[in-house]
Amino acid sequence: MIIGKPTPGVMGFTVERVNALSDGVFAVAITLLAVGIAVPTIHGTVTNAKLAHGLAELWPHFFSYFLSFVIIAMFWISHHSLFSVIRRVDKMLIWMNIFYLLLIVFMPYPTILLSLYGKTTVATALYASVLAAAGILQGTMGFYAVRGRRLVDDDFDLREAGAYLRNAFMMSGVFIISIGIAFASPTIAQFSWLLLFLISLVERLISKKKRAEPGTETQEV
Amino acid sequence: MIIGKPTPGVMGFTVERVNALSDGVFAVAITLLAVGIAVPTIHGTVTNAKLAHGLAELWPHFFSYFLSFVIIAMFWISHHSLFSVIRRVDKMLIWMNIFYLLLIVFMPYPTILLSLYGKTTVATALYASVLAAAGILQGTMGFYAVRGRRLVDDDFDLREAGAYLRNAFMMSGVFIISIGIAFASPTIAQFSWLLLFLISLVERLISKKKRAEPGTETQEV
Amino acid sequence: MIIGKPTPGVMGFTVERVNALSDGVFAVAITLLAVGIAVPTIHGTVTNAKLAHGLAELWPHFFSYFLSFVIIAMFWISHHSLFSVIRRVDKMLIWMNIFYLLLIVFMPYPTILLSLYGKTTVATALYASVLAAAGILQGTMGFYAVRGRRLVDDDFDLREAGAYLRNAFMMSGVFIISIGIAFASPTIAQFSWLLLFLISLVERLISKKKRAEPGTETQEV
Amino acid sequence: MIIGKPTPGVMGFTVERVNALSDGVFAVAITLLAVGIAVPTIHGTVTNAKLAHGLAELWPHFFSYFLSFVIIAMFWISHHSLFSVIRRVDKMLIWMNIFYLLLIVFMPYPTILLSLYGKTTVATALYASVLAAAGILQGTMGFYAVRGRRLVDDDFDLREAGAYLRNAFMMSGVFIISIGIAFASPTIAQFSWLLLFLISLVERLISKKKRAEPGTETQEV
């Protein structure tokens, strides 16, 4: 069985090209984040003190860049692990993936808003909304693909999907809750996103423990 | 038979690299759309009301981004399905593909014009013209590749090509007609583009029904 | 024989990743050309006449975009056909390829200069110099790879390389000569670049005739 | 054994997609360097003298572009050679790779600072710090992957890793030392980076000599 190839002689879609477009989009979106960082303008003679001061004032830009980079990377990891088990794609999955990429590609925009107007509820809630929507789509794609093993192998272990879905919806959950928090305090909302890293860390420890148990299949070839 | 490899020892072209360049171009073009969205400038103290107002005023930017993203995605899907049956490429197809990509890559430009000057016939007609030309090239590439099964497998089902060509020329048709409409009303012309989504939806339902009929080959591996 | 894989257990380079980086760079460079096109600024009420006039005044931008897109595409085609016969890469080829990509990536810059200051010898000569250097590197890479069949298959047909090298050095030749012409007339120098398309067309007709002769291997799988 | 595929039916990560994202990120980062180069503004009539003068004044931009391009290329080559022996990826390596890419993607920013404020200690030290950190991560990834042959083949030759690690840490070493030098003289610090090219050249000559010795495995297929 050749993976991800449509029936010969029939027009169809390949997992390979969906991955190629997705990786390209992730790579460009992640790189454009850095383009949004302003360069300090220095009036008069250029000195170390002025440049250091100018850069220090831009810290919300650096923070937003770092934050968005890591969050988009988390989405990429999740996308990557889903598509590692997908064996065929249909038009429905392709369109879900396209709307998902639309949100990923849009991310540099709320990132710039956050670095410029990070103290407002509007910028914070918009940022969280885009990521909440991306998380929901991520989960929905996984659910659609594995239900009845529609797009995965016949021997696909459904427990694997459980961890994936839990992770995707937990990510959306954090962002949805933070939208509410943003109305009280944008700063606290932004800190709540750090929860994601903790969740991800805890998940890793749990799954590591599981893998270490005897009789469990390891991830190695 | 290794797909898309030229005769060993002879310089030639591979489907693989044509796909790689095309996917790269689609990914970058689709991502640059978002770069064109203006960031609201706020005078005086930053407040939620001012930021929300500034974003609301930019709705034509968001609409154009969304529209172009979905349309380019439709082109990518069509390109993807054509190249899923192409087994070899020649210089003619490569050049048609390059001029096709030239139009795709150009799209962020008419998209910005549309968001800035969306009420003019000029911006609307230019936008539609680029897409009409891309659609015609898309159809022509398909016609060139399948005629006499020039670049496809010997067992390629020509009925498949029928659906593809109908779709490509229907896309161009909608855009060509909308150029005419744009002279009467740019707004109506823009709404006529939504026809594409309806056509695509109807097509999907029809092809789904067909696939469900007994004896039809399914798209699954 | 697995193509382009280094000896197992030894660190090395793969043709695959050199292609991946090159295609990515070509795709981004070709897309950034369009980003350089200025958007017309309209003072007062927006009208069709003003927008049409603004766009018409930008024709050198559109011309430069079109020109650079087609020229970079020609380089990509040439790169593509060279690497279709390369079976292994060494550090020397990788560095030549990197300096070659450095010039391709730089192209959006002379393209903008050409659209802004196209009537000057400086902009025209700079544009031609970058492409002349790229053409020389393209030829040198081919020469290095095929000499003694260093990086190609043992059964590689050296006559193939002849056509490739002739093409690469003819491309550089046109650009080098045009640098001289630019000192007399930048406009004539720019028109001389159209020679490339004629050369390429003539080459195609010759190679087509050759292929049509009996006993010649065709490019098909 | 299929390289880089996770256990069938289990969600995992593939070397292939990590490479795809990395190559995409390298390609975009390397291309965006050129975007930062300013275009000379000419007041009054455009003349060759004014344009040549304007371009000449921008030489720090061209120098920074060239420098960063070559340095990022050196990182890409090193990344490429590491991943040519990696057979499986785990979450730890993926995250190290993501933070490594975060630094690569960030490079256009210190590059612009260097071309604008190259005479300051701040810009020079920041530039060197980002690359020192990238070099350390590069080395750490290699160390993590080969220790106990964790992510490489069972027959992986550990002496190969020695050369790789020496190279990675020597790169970081040069940048770390240059941070110190930058406090005395930014210009000397920048010249010290040229050491890298010398080191790389010497390394090449040494490894060439080694390869030429009888009984050594060559890199060819």
Side-chain angles (χ1 to χ4, degrees):
Chain A
M1 194 195 72
I2 298 154
I3 286 166
K5 291 274 174 250
T7 321
V10 178
M11 278 188 174
F13 304 106
T14 60
V15 178
E16 197 178 51
R17 280 199 72 184
V18 174
N19 281 347
L21 185 79
S22 305
D23 285 336
V25 163
F26 271 107
V28 183
I30 230 167
T31 314
L32 287 179
L33 292 172
V35 173
I37 308 176
V39 174
T41 321
I42 296 179
H43 300 287
T45 330
V46 175
T47 63
N48 279 310
K50 277 185 194 168
L51 181 55
H53 182 75
L55 288 170
E57 276 197 330
L58 288 169
W59 75 263
H61 286 248
F62 296 106
F63 172 73
S64 303
Y65 164 62
F66 181 82
L67 186 75
S68 294
F69 195 103
V70 173
I71 290 172
I72 294 182
M74 290 176 77
F75 275 100
W76 178 77
I77 288 176
S78 189
H79 188 272
H80 179 168
S81 77
L82 174 61
F83 277 78
S84 75
V85 293
I86 284 183
R87 289 294 168 266
R88 47 193 172 272
V89 284
D90 60 11
K91 237 179 177 171
M92 185 69 188
L93 186 78
I94 282 183
W95 275 108
M96 284 197 285
N97 193 50
I98 280 166
F99 283 109
Y100 170 77
L101 293 178
L102 189 150
L103 294 166
I104 296 295
V105 157
F106 187 60
M107 277 307 294
Y109 190 76
T111 302
I112 292 181
L113 287 187
L114 199 71
S115 51
L116 290 173
Y117 311 122
K119 282 176 188 158
T120 61
T121 300
V122 171
T124 311
L126 181 71
Y127 189 94
S129 306
V130 174
L131 290 169
I136 290 168
L137 262 169
Q138 181 102 59
T140 311
M141 278 199 282
F143 187 72
Y144 177 79
V146 302
R147 205 172 66 150
R149 297 194 172 78
R150 193 194 317 248
L151 303 174
V152 295
D153 267 340
D154 292 341
D155 59 351
F156 177 72
D157 182 354
L158 286 178
R159 274 168 308 173
E160 289 284 321
Y164 170 83
L165 293 173
R166 211 167 44 242
N167 183 48
F169 289 119
M170 219 142 52
M171 276 169 87
S172 337
V174 168
F175 287 115
I176 290 170
I177 293 167
S178 79
I179 298 173
I181 302 175
F183 282 89
S185 159
T187 311
I188 296 176
Q190 286 161 37
F191 272 101
S192 78
W193 300 336
L194 296 174
L195 261 176
L196 271 179
F197 301 90
L198 287 174
I199 288 173
S200 168
L201 204 75
V202 169
E203 271 249 310
R204 249 202 91 217
L205 291 174
I206 291 171
S207 75
K208 242 193 177 160
K209 219 181 132 189
K210 263 184 172 169
R211 301 244 179 244
E213 279 165 24
T216 317
E217 273 194 88
T218 68
Q219 208 176 294
E220 295 176 8
V221 187
Chain B
M1 196 197 69
I2 299 155
I3 286 166
K5 291 274 174 251
T7 321
V10 178
M11 278 188 174
F13 304 106
T14 59
V15 178
E16 198 178 50
R17 280 199 71 185
V18 174
N19 281 347
L21 185 79
S22 306
D23 285 335
V25 163
F26 271 107
V28 182
I30 229 167
T31 314
L32 287 179
L33 292 172
V35 172
I37 308 176
V39 174
T41 321
I42 296 179
H43 300 287
T45 330
V46 175
T47 63
N48 279 311
K50 278 184 193 168
L51 181 55
H53 181 73
L55 288 171
E57 276 198 329
L58 288 168
W59 74 263
H61 286 248
F62 297 106
F63 172 74
S64 303
Y65 165 63
F66 181 82
L67 186 75
S68 294
F69 196 103
V70 173
I71 290 172
I72 294 183
M74 290 176 76
F75 275 100
W76 178 77
I77 288 176
S78 188
H79 188 273
H80 180 169
S81 78
L82 174 61
F83 277 78
S84 76
V85 293
I86 284 183
R87 289 294 168 267
R88 47 193 172 274
V89 283
D90 59 11
K91 236 178 177 171
M92 184 70 188
L93 186 78
I94 283 185
W95 275 107
M96 284 197 285
N97 193 49
I98 280 166
F99 283 109
Y100 170 77
L101 294 179
L102 189 149
L103 295 166
I104 297 295
V105 157
F106 188 59
M107 277 307 293
Y109 191 76
T111 302
I112 292 180
L113 286 187
L114 198 72
S115 51
L116 290 173
Y117 311 121
K119 282 175 189 157
T120 62
T121 300
V122 171
T124 311
L126 181 72
Y127 189 93
S129 305
V130 174
L131 291 169
I136 290 169
L137 262 169
Q138 181 104 58
T140 310
M141 277 198 283
F143 187 72
Y144 177 80
V146 302
R147 204 171 67 150
R149 295 193 173 83
R150 193 194 315 250
L151 303 173
V152 296
D153 267 340
D154 292 342
D155 60 350
F156 176 71
D157 184 354
L158 286 178
R159 275 169 306 173
E160 289 283 322
Y164 170 83
L165 292 173
R166 212 167 44 241
N167 183 48
F169 290 119
M170 219 144 50
M171 276 169 87
S172 337
V174 168
F175 287 115
I176 289 169
I177 293 167
S178 79
I179 297 173
I181 301 175
F183 283 88
S185 158
T187 311
I188 296 176
Q190 286 161 37
F191 272 102
S192 78
W193 300 336
L194 296 174
L195 262 176
L196 271 179
F197 301 91
L198 287 175
I199 288 172
S200 167
L201 204 75
V202 169
E203 270 250 311
R204 249 202 91 217
L205 291 174
I206 292 171
S207 76
K208 242 195 178 158
K209 219 182 133 190
K210 264 184 172 169
R211 301 240 180 247
E213 278 164 25
T216 316
E217 274 193 86
T218 68
Q219 206 178 296
E220 294 176 9
V221 188
Chain C
M1 196 196 69
I2 298 154
I3 286 168
K5 291 275 175 248
T7 321
V10 178
M11 278 188 174
F13 304 107
T14 59
V15 179
E16 197 178 50
R17 281 199 69 186
V18 174
N19 281 346
L21 185 79
S22 305
D23 285 337
V25 163
F26 271 107
V28 182
I30 230 166
T31 314
L32 287 180
L33 292 172
V35 172
I37 308 175
V39 175
T41 322
I42 296 179
H43 300 286
T45 330
V46 175
T47 64
N48 278 312
K50 278 184 193 169
L51 181 54
H53 182 74
L55 288 170
E57 276 198 328
L58 287 168
W59 75 263
H61 286 247
F62 297 106
F63 172 74
S64 304
Y65 164 63
F66 181 82
L67 187 75
S68 294
F69 196 102
V70 173
I71 290 172
I72 295 182
M74 289 176 77
F75 275 99
W76 178 78
I77 288 177
S78 189
H79 188 273
H80 179 169
S81 77
L82 174 60
F83 277 79
S84 75
V85 292
I86 284 183
R87 288 295 168 268
R88 45 194 174 274
V89 284
D90 59 11
K91 236 177 177 171
M92 185 70 188
L93 186 78
I94 283 185
W95 274 107
M96 283 197 286
N97 193 50
I98 280 166
F99 283 109
Y100 170 78
L101 294 178
L102 188 149
L103 294 166
I104 297 296
V105 157
F106 187 60
M107 277 307 292
Y109 190 76
T111 301
I112 292 181
L113 287 187
L114 198 72
S115 51
L116 290 172
Y117 312 122
K119 282 174 189 159
T120 62
T121 300
V122 171
T124 311
L126 181 73
Y127 189 94
S129 306
V130 173
L131 291 168
I136 289 168
L137 263 169
Q138 182 104 57
T140 310
M141 277 198 282
F143 186 72
Y144 177 81
V146 302
R147 204 171 67 150
R149 296 195 172 79
R150 194 194 315 249
L151 303 173
V152 296
D153 267 340
D154 292 341
D155 59 351
F156 176 71
D157 183 355
L158 287 177
R159 276 169 306 174
E160 290 284 321
Y164 169 83
L165 292 173
R166 214 169 41 243
N167 183 49
F169 289 119
M170 221 144 50
M171 277 169 87
S172 336
V174 168
F175 287 115
I176 288 170
I177 293 166
S178 79
I179 297 173
I181 302 175
F183 283 88
S185 161
T187 311
I188 297 177
Q190 285 161 36
F191 271 102
S192 78
W193 300 337
L194 296 175
L195 262 176
L196 271 179
F197 301 91
L198 287 175
I199 288 173
S200 167
L201 205 75
V202 169
E203 270 249 311
R204 250 202 88 218
L205 290 175
I206 291 171
S207 77
K208 240 193 180 164
K209 220 182 129 189
K210 264 183 171 169
R211 302 240 180 250
E213 280 165 25
T216 317
E217 275 194 86
T218 67
Q219 207 176 297
E220 296 177 8
V221 187
Chain D
M1 194 196 72
I2 298 154
I3 286 167
K5 291 275 175 253
T7 321
V10 178
M11 279 188 173
F13 304 107
T14 59
V15 178
E16 198 178 50
R17 281 200 70 186
V18 173
N19 281 347
L21 185 80
S22 305
D23 285 336
V25 163
F26 271 107
V28 183
I30 229 166
T31 314
L32 287 180
L33 292 172
V35 173
I37 307 177
V39 175
T41 321
I42 296 179
H43 301 287
T45 330
V46 175
T47 64
N48 278 312
K50 277 184 193 168
L51 182 54
H53 182 75
L55 288 170
E57 276 197 328
L58 288 168
W59 75 263
H61 286 248
F62 296 106
F63 172 74
S64 304
Y65 164 63
F66 180 82
L67 187 76
S68 294
F69 195 102
V70 173
I71 290 173
I72 295 182
M74 289 176 76
F75 275 100
W76 178 77
I77 288 176
S78 188
H79 188 272
H80 179 168
S81 76
L82 174 61
F83 277 78
S84 75
V85 293
I86 284 183
R87 289 295 167 268
R88 46 194 174 273
V89 283
D90 59 10
K91 237 179 177 170
M92 185 69 188
L93 187 78
I94 283 184
W95 274 107
M96 283 197 285
N97 193 49
I98 280 166
F99 283 109
Y100 170 78
L101 293 178
L102 188 150
L103 294 166
I104 297 296
V105 156
F106 187 60
M107 277 307 293
Y109 190 76
T111 301
I112 292 181
L113 286 187
L114 198 71
S115 52
L116 291 173
Y117 312 122
K119 283 175 188 157
T120 61
T121 300
V122 171
T124 311
L126 181 72
Y127 189 93
S129 305
V130 173
L131 290 169
I136 291 168
L137 262 169
Q138 182 103 58
T140 311
M141 277 198 282
F143 187 72
Y144 177 80
V146 302
R147 205 171 67 150
R149 298 195 171 79
R150 193 194 316 248
L151 303 174
V152 294
D153 267 341
D154 292 340
D155 60 352
F156 176 72
D157 183 353
L158 286 178
R159 276 169 308 173
E160 289 285 320
Y164 170 84
L165 292 173
R166 212 168 43 241
N167 184 49
F169 289 119
M170 221 145 49
M171 277 170 86
S172 336
V174 168
F175 287 116
I176 289 169
I177 293 168
S178 79
I179 298 173
I181 301 175
F183 282 89
S185 160
T187 310
I188 297 176
Q190 286 161 36
F191 272 102
S192 77
W193 299 336
L194 296 174
L195 262 177
L196 271 178
F197 301 90
L198 287 175
I199 288 173
S200 168
L201 204 75
V202 170
E203 270 249 311
R204 248 202 92 218
L205 291 173
I206 292 172
S207 76
K208 241 194 179 162
K209 219 181 130 190
K210 265 185 172 166
R211 300 242 180 247
E213 280 165 24
T216 317
E217 274 193 86
T218 67
Q219 208 175 296
E220 296 175 9
V221 187

